[in-house]
Amino acid sequence: MEKETLFDKFFRDSNGNIVIAQPPNPPILVWGVASLLKLIFTSGLTNVGLDLIAFGSLFTWAWLELFQGVNYFRRTLGLVVLVGFVGLRIFSYNPV
């Protein structure tokens, strides 16, 4: 039996496949659509609603990757996106 290397733990899934990118899952698709629609509806309640949907769906994607990612790379990616995106929201918050 071969010893599992750090590379294997970080990049391989439970079937031994190297997984870096995957087909988009629903939260990423929703985030993409909401983000594109925000470019069309640039102000008003529609923009605010789309912003909430985009944030919520990207947060959901990152959370799922962090706790259910197929390998350590995907889990690390989820953590980086979660911390980075929430951090950007906190530091760019501008109360009216």
Side-chain angles (χ1 to χ4, degrees):
M1 189 160 120
E2 279 186 45
K3 182 180 177 190
E4 193 173 53
T5 65
L6 180 61
F7 178 86
D8 292 332
K9 287 182 180 180
F10 202 74
F11 290 106
R12 292 191 189 274
D13 65 7
S14 60
N15 296 324
N17 300 317
I18 294 176
V19 178
I20 295 175
Q22 295 175 296
N25 52 15
I28 282 292
L29 294 173
V30 170
W31 170 76
V33 169
S35 296
L36 289 174
L37 287 173
K38 280 178 49 181
L39 297 173
I40 297 169
F41 301 100
T42 58
S43 63
L45 287 177
T46 304
N47 180 270
V48 171
L50 290 168
D51 189 52
L52 287 171
I53 291 169
F55 177 80
S57 58
L58 191 60
F59 183 93
T60 301
W61 174 85
W63 185 267
L64 290 172
E65 285 294 336
L66 178 60
F67 290 103
Q68 298 176 1
V70 297
N71 56 29
Y72 290 145
F73 173 76
R74 299 293 299 183
R75 290 173 184 229
T76 302
L77 182 62
L79 177 65
V80 168
V81 170
L82 187 64
V83 170
F85 199 58
V86 170
L88 281 173
R89 293 295 288 215
I90 289 171
F91 291 113
S92 67
Y93 179 70
N94 186 12
V96 179

